[in-house]
């Protein structure tokens, strides 16, 4: 689509890359590209950045850690979230909680990043094509400024959500729901339809401290059926904020009827509040002192156009490892881990809101079981437009089916897409750096052989985690170190009720308080145990469980020890059990119940085993007073399927002999978080943190110019579980980077850091130095009683990277 009458008269702005869309996907794309040396124009059609996460819509960015421990997205989005939690006075929540502090954190990052030209309040109203498959410029109009511009670049990123640029450029797209027969997806409707997930607006309430009434306007929707809310999964579970189920879509078109939907949502939101305040038998008293304080007027969309890319993600791709045993995509550049969250088309006009909510989020509910997915890879091909040769995609408009979109549309995941395509675009242009040509620039048709591995290693170096890619960067000198040593290393002996942990103060005691109903073994329960493997592994002689028996007689409890592929292996497979037993739990308690077990070290071939315990409602397995680093608990949702227990806790357990699972060598494992093992160095808790250290050494001196640290913290739980104005206690606060001087026979300080809160830090030395050893000397954490580190990289020369 072109605008020939005005194109020639428009102001021309040029850049290497034009990013269209100011949401988190577009922002991360622009920042990543600029940090890698590209000149970028970032275009957003609203006055603030952040898209659905902004204060105009107020949906907090969430992602894989909502369902999986240690799965939080890292990279640019993590940098932003950590910054927000340090300065924001407000608590977080799923919907309705975002404030303008978050807006300013996003705005500040863009303003501090050289190479970005930011155009807010600017919408894309046309595309110039130089031929049928390449964009020559996008046409933009700035509201309120009477400015029209031509934005020309070599490469473009469509992160508009609605796929505006791709559609205008003539790329094929889909909208609606595919029928089940087309791709064989379990969660697809039997027949294709126009149905899409709906659009929401949020509300905020305020406790004014005294009873206050509410009178709805005449044009508001009227609700009076209690069953509509309870049986439809529409529970006002928070008194402070609005609820995701304030949603409408079908039969309206979520693009063309956006303003109609905004008005209808306003009518319905006021009607819901009217019902709560004036007619609800359950909630009227609870909300008596609450007043409506804010109601959003910018709709937050879940689904509209899905652009056809070089690969279409389907439901099978989300489950490919579990169902087929196949590995992930060879061109994996991002990942997700949200469940297949398909809201019912129609929203408030439908009988129910969303399948798991309609089941009451019941443990073992059929919808919860069938929609669960492990962390899954996202291929670069799904982020490249099929029919436009110089266009990347990032956000909810990428190439997926309707069903797969339910898992990839959340903002933590779309942020990773943005960082991936921004990095890819900058890397593609860095070799040639062509001047902006009228005939455009083509994304190569085959990127698999050399470019994708280089891109993957670059993303890892920039702090992004990829579930199926490990650090093999040939420039990382730490990987070739002759020795990796530490001042002390903690061993895994389990965790009991007497443990003291920073988690209790940081997250809140309610997460760890034993004695609650969910300690009872109404469902089976499991504990991941990190173990030693390889030559010299001691094996396991005994494990212990801290149990209580509510009956007056001993109870027999079936247990088994099962090797697992990693911390996200939720499959219970009886055929691979190492040992089985029936334990006798005496009446009363709680007390330790010991299981003598003789498992040789040679039998332990993976970094985790899992202690599985059968359901037995009269027995309780108590929670530990904190989280054992890298070790989680699970709960059975089906005979052969687990999910994470609560938001990430450990159950009281013991293991003997002690397992050396936090050794110094873990920092060069190539994976910077717990996955197939802990991948973490941890010092002994009984020793002072001040003075702990970890080092890498080489037989011959090497040239060191850059040191890259990936500190622990901010991975276990999602953003809405983090307190305000607090650093993660596990993150190291004060430290010194040192190099060994043979001439002076002493350690020399080359970097000194105080007050750190970020988990990824890259330090360029003032001048490269020749040394045989690099040491990280820890002086203080942000609260933990041990020092810990996920990853250490060492490079000869400072290089461009997208990191803090």
């Amino acid at each position: 689509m072109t605008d020939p009458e005005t194109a020639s008269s428009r102001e021309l702005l040029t850049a290497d890359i034009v990013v269209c869309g100011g949401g988190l996907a577009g922002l991360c794309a622009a920042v990543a590209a600029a940090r890698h040396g590209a000149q970028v124009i970032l275009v957003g059609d609203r006055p603030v950045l952040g898209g659905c996460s902004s204060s105009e819509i107020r949906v907090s960015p969430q992602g894989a850690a909502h369902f999986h421990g240690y799965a939080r997205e890292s990279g640019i989005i993590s940098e932003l979230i950590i910054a927000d939690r340090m300065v924001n006075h407000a608590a977080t929540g799923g919907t309705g909680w975002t404030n303008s502090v978050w807006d300013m954190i996003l705005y500040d990052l863009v303003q501090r990043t050289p190479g970005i030209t930011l155009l807010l309040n600017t919408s894309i109203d046309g595309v110039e094509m130089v031929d049928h498959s390449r964009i020559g410029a996008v046409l933009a109009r700035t509201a309120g400024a009477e400015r029209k511009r031509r934005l020309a670049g070599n490469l473009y990123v469509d992160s508009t959500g609605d796929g505006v640029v791709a559609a205008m450029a003539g790329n094929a797209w889909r909208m609606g729901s595919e029928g089940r027969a087309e791709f064989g997806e379990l969660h697809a409707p039997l027949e294709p339809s126009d149905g899409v997930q709906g659009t929401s607006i949020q509300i905020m309430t305020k406790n004014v401290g005294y009873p206050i009434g509410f009178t709805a306007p005449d044009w508001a929707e009227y609700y009076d059926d209690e069953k509509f809310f309870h049986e439809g999964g529409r529970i006002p579970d928070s008194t402070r904020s609005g609820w995701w189920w304030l949603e409408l879509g079908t039969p309206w078109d979520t693009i063309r009827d956006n303003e109609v939907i905004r008005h209808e949502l306003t009518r319905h939101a006021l009607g819901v509040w009217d019902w709560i305040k004036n007619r609800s038998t359950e909630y009227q008293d609870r909300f008596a002192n609450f007043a409506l304080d804010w109601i959003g007027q910018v709709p937050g969309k879940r689904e509209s156009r899905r652009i056809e890319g070089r690969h279409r993600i389907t439901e099978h791709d989300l489950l490919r490892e579990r169902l087929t045993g196949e590995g992930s995509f060879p061109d994996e550049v991002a990942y997700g881990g949200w469940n297949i969250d398909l809201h019912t088309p129609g929203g408030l006009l439908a009988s129910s809101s969303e399948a798991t909510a309609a089941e009451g989020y019941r443990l073992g509910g059929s919808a919860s079981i069938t929609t669960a997915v492990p962390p899954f890879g996202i291929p670069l091909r799904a982020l490249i437009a099929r029919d436009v040769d110089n266009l990347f995609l990032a956000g909810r408009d990428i190439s997926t089916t309707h069903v797969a979109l339910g898992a990839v549309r959340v903002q933590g995941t779309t942020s990773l897409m943005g960082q991936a395509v921004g990095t890819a675009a900058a890397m593609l242009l860095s070799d040639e750096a062509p001047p902006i040509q009228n005939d455009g620039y083509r994304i190569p048709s085959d990127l698999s052989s050399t470019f994708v591995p280089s891109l993957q290693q670059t993303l890892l170096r920039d702090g992004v985690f990829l579930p199926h890619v490990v650090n093999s960067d040939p420039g990382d000198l730490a990987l070739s170190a002759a020795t990796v040593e530490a001042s002390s290393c903690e061993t895994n002996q389990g965790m009991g009720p007497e443990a003291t942990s920073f988690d209790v103060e940081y997250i809140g005691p309610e997460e760890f308080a034993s004695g609650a109903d969910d300690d009872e073994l109404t469902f089976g329960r499991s504990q991941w145990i990190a173990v030693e493997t390889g030559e010299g592994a001691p094996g396991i002689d005994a494990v212990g469980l801290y149990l209580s028996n509510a009956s007056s007689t001993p109870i027999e409890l079936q247990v088994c020890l099962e090797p697992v592929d990693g911390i996200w292996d939720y499959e219970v497979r009886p055929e691979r059990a190492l040992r089985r037993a029936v334990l006798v739990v005496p009446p009363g308690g709680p007390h330790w119940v010991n299981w003598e077990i003789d498992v040789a070290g040679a039998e332990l071939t993976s970094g985790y085993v899992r202690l599985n315990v059968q359901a037995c409602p009269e027995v309780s397995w108590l929670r530990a007073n904190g989280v054992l680093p890298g070790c989680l608990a699970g709960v059975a949702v089906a005979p052969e399927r687990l999910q994470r227990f609560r938001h990430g806790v450990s159950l009281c357990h013991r293991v003997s002999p002690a397992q050396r699972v936090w050794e110094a060598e873990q920092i060069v494992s190539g994976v910077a978080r717990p996955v197939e093992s802990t991948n973490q160095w941890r010092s002994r808790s009984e020793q002072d943190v001040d003075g702990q250290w970890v080092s890498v050494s080489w037989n011959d001196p090497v040239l060191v110019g850059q040191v890259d640290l990936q500190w622990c913290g901010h991975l276990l739980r999602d953003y809405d579980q983090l307190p305000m104005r607090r650093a993660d206690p596990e993150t190291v606060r004060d430290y010194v980077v040192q190099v060994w001087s043979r001439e002076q026979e002493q350690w020399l300080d080359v970097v000194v850091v105080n007050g750190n809160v970020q988990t990824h830090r890259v330090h360029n030395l003032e001048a490269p130095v020749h040394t045989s050893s690099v040491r990280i000397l820890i002086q203080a954490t942000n609260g933990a009683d041990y020092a810990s580190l996920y990853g250490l990289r060492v490079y000869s020369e400072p290089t461009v990277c997208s990191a803090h």
Side-chain angles (χ1 to χ4, degrees), residues 301-331:
K301 294 180 187 177
R302 291 180 178 85
E303 183 175 2
S304 55
R305 292 188 189 98
R306 293 172 283 110
I307 307 304
E308 297 281 336
R310 296 183 182 178
H311 174 86
R312 179 185 292 108
I313 300 173
T314 69
E315 180 176 0
H316 306 294
D317 291 330
L318 311 179
L319 299 164
R320 57 192 285 131
E321 285 187 283
R322 191 167 84 192
L323 295 180
T324 67
E326 296 178 7
S328 189
F329 299 102
D331 57 339

Side-chain angles (χ1 to χ4, degrees), residues 74-95:
S74 50
I76 294 170
I77 184 60
S78 178
E79 181 182 328
L80 290 164
I81 286 173
I82 293 170
D84 172 80
R85 288 299 79 201
M86 286 305 300
V87 302
N88 206 324
H89 62 278
T92 59
T95 56

Side-chain angles (χ1 to χ4, degrees), residues 208 261 365 439 443 708 727:
V208 297
I261 292 173
D439 62 353
I443 301 170
D708 180 322

Side-chain angles (χ1 to χ4, degrees), residues 571-587:
E571 304 301 308
V572 178
R573 290 157 51 187
E575 72 278 3
R576 65 178 178 181
L578 289 169
R579 298 289 188 276
R580 297 180 178 279
V582 175
L583 304 182
V584 177
V585 184

Side-chain angles (χ1 to χ4, degrees), residues 9 42-43 105 109 230 259 287 323 369 424 457 469 537 591 653 661 667 678 718 743 757 770:
S9 62
L42 174 59
V43 187
I105 285 171
L109 177 61
H230 287 283
E259 274 300 293
F287 283 82
L323 295 180
I369 294 172
Q457 292 301 315
V469 184
H591 31 225
H653 68 287
V661 298
I667 66 172
T678 64
D718 216 341
E743 292 78 10
V757 298
H770 283 91

Side-chain angles (χ1 to χ4, degrees), residues 469-546:
V469 184
V470 301
N471 173 23
S472 60
D473 188 345
D476 181 6
L477 300 173
L479 294 178
S480 61
T483 58
V484 185
E485 299 176 300
S487 52
S488 69
C489 299
E490 187 63 273
T491 58
N492 179 21
Q493 301 177 65
M495 195 175 201
E498 74 287 348
T500 58
S501 171
F502 60 81
D503 299 286
V504 177
E505 180 185 355
Y506 181 57
I507 300 299
E510 65 280 354
E511 181 76 359
F512 304 98
S514 286
D517 290 342
D518 57 3
D519 284 331
E520 298 175 357
L521 294 175
T522 308
F523 296 86
R525 206 66 51 82
S526 298
Q527 173 67 44
W528 274 257
I529 300 174
V531 294
E532 287 183 62
T533 61
E535 185 176 353
I540 302 174
D541 296 335
V543 295
L545 301 84
Y546 197 57

Side-chain angles (χ1 to χ4, degrees), residues 35 192 211 231 493 566 762 791:
R35 285 179 171 179
E231 296 179 4
Q493 301 177 65
V762 176

